[in-house]
């Protein structure tokens, strides 16, 4: 009775997970192959990030570990999509970014 959306991809099981519009928001993500402009933020540091170029920045806490970063967002974000980029900022200073992992 309402539209459905792809909310996750399970490549190992070769399946798509679908849900309603209410299921689209997530407040956590993991990046792979992160790179930094100078040095990574401290483990547990609060910064901001952008998931899409024109999106507004969202506050987040980052937990870097090598080239992976666990990210806990201050609020749920709807369009977190594996394979897309996420960029981290401290104010207007770009800290670096990575690719959203599945």
């Amino acid at each position: 009775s309402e539209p459905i959306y792809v909310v996750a991809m399970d490549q190992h099981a070769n399946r798509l997970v679908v849900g309603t519009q209410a299921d689209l928001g997530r407040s956590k993500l993991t990046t792979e192959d992160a790179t930094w402009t100078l040095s990574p933020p401290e483990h547990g540091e609060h910064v901001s990030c952008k998931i899409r170029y024109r999106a507004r920045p969202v506050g987040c806490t980052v937990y870097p570990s090598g080239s992976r970063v666990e990210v806990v967002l201050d609020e749920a974000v709807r369009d977190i999509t594996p394979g897309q980029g996420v960029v981290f900022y401290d104010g207007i200073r770009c800290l670096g970014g990575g690719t959203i992992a599945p």
Side-chain angles (χ1 to χ4, degrees), residues 1-9 15-25 78:
S1 64
E2 63 183 296
I4 59 172
Y5 303 88
V6 174
V7 295
M9 294 185 306
R15 67 183 187 138
L16 292 176
V17 179
V18 297
T20 64
Q21 187 171 11
D23 297 321
L24 292 176
R78 180 178 160 180

Side-chain angles (χ1 to χ4, degrees), residues 2-99:
E2 63 183 296
I4 59 172
Y5 303 88
V6 174
V7 295
M9 294 185 306
D10 184 349
Q11 294 176 341
H12 300 307
N14 195 28
R15 67 183 187 138
L16 292 176
V17 179
V18 297
T20 64
Q21 187 171 11
D23 297 321
L24 292 176
R26 291 181 24 204
S27 59
K28 292 183 180 180
L29 65 93
T30 302
T31 69
E32 44 193 28
D33 60 6
T35 57
W36 305 102
T37 56
L38 296 174
S39 59
E42 296 292 322
H43 192 77
E45 187 171 339
H46 191 266
V47 298
S48 63
C49 67
K50 288 176 70 173
I51 306 298
R52 297 187 184 281
Y53 172 71
R54 294 185 185 262
R56 68 177 177 76
V58 175
C60 63
T61 304
V62 292
Y63 301 92
S65 177
S67 65
R68 292 182 66 85
V69 182
E70 299 294 327
V71 181
V72 179
L73 302 162
D74 292 352
E75 60 190 71
V77 174
R78 180 178 160 180
D79 297 324
I80 297 174
T81 307
Q84 285 191 317
V86 58
V87 180
F88 302 103
Y89 297 90
D90 180 10
I92 62 169
R93 183 172 63 106
C94 179
L95 301 174
T99 304

